[in-house]
């Protein structure tokens, strides 16, 4: 199973908005072309980022997307929680419909729950250690 692309696409969006700010009126169509995906997918992510307060959008003559706070204050954790299923407490999800007559199925939660909780906590702590300012600085260096 492969992880969702929502997080990496959201980072891509924020990098485009920050680095290309002022060059173009940033739109979901322009972002979709950069990312190589459907504008509807981008608009969905923009909605999640906006709801989390990570972007602001305007419509009309001067439509566009802006980032309302310093990039140093936006962590990868903030982005991850904004675009991944916030109701999911774990990176890993258990399979449904366990056959409780099977001894493995009966014991799987007692074997994995604490381990998964530990992995989740470590993963979230790592995400908190990265911010968009560093990513944007690295992207600018990559572009030159």
């Amino acid at each position: 199973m492969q992880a969702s692309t929502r997080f990496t696409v959201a980072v891509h969006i924020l990098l485009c908005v920050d680095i290309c700010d002022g060059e173009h009126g940033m739109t979901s169509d322009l972002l979709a072309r950069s990312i190589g995906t459907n504008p509807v997918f981008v608009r969905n992510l923009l909605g999640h980022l906006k709801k989390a307060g990570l972007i602001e959008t305007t419509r009309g003559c001067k439509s566009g997307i802006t980032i309302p706070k310093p990039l140093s204050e936006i962590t990868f954790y903030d982005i991850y929680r904004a675009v991944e299923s916030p109701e999911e407490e774990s990176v890993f999800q258990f399979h449904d419909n366990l056959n409780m007559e099977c001894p493995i199925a009966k014991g799987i939660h007692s074997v994995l729950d604490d381990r998964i909780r530990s992995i989740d906590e470590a993963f979230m702590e790592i995400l908190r250690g990265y911010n968009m300012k560093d990513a944007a600085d690295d992207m600018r260096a990559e572009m030159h």
Side-chain angles (χ1 to χ4, degrees):
M1 181 174 80
Q2 189 172 3
S4 155
T5 61
R6 290 184 299 259
F7 171 76
T8 55
V9 171
V11 170
H12 189 133
I13 288 169
L14 290 169
L15 287 171
C16 281
V17 170
D18 177 63
I19 291 171
C20 299
D21 184 37
E23 291 180 30
H24 312 283
M26 194 56 61
T27 65
S28 57
D29 289 332
L30 184 63
L31 289 166
R33 283 196 301 274
S34 174
I35 296 162
T37 192
N38 187 311
V40 174
F41 178 63
V42 171
R43 282 191 287 276
N44 181 281
L45 286 179
L46 289 171
H48 289 288
L49 292 170
K50 183 176 180 176
K51 184 177 178 183
L54 300 177
I55 63 164
E56 292 177 347
T57 59
T58 55
R59 293 181 180 226
C61 292
K62 192 165 174 145
S63 65
I65 303 162
T66 57
I67 300 172
K69 57 185 173 180
L71 291 180
S72 60
E73 295 178 15
I74 301 173
T75 67
F76 280 17
Y77 174 82
D78 299 326
I79 300 163
Y80 182 84
R81 295 309 291 168
V83 300
E84 295 296 337
S85 300
E87 65 277 359
E88 302 294 344
E89 293 296 319
S90 177
V91 174
F92 301 101
Q93 302 305 310
F94 270 97
H95 39 290
D96 295 330
N97 304 318
L98 294 171
N99 176 356
M100 297 316 271
E101 293 182 23
C102 171
I104 305 299
K106 278 184 178 177
I108 193 72
H109 279 283
S110 64
V111 169
L112 287 181
D113 283 352
D114 287 343
R115 289 174 171 94
I116 287 175
R117 191 172 7 268
S118 176
I119 292 166
D120 284 335
E121 289 170 4
F123 177 65
M124 296 305 165
E125 191 59 34
I126 290 168
L127 288 174
R128 285 183 186 96
Y130 292 99
N131 67 59
M132 282 304 300
K133 181 186 180 318
D134 294 339
D137 290 346
D138 290 346
M139 181 56 70
R140 283 183 175 87
E142 179 71 24
M143 292 169 63
H144 293 297

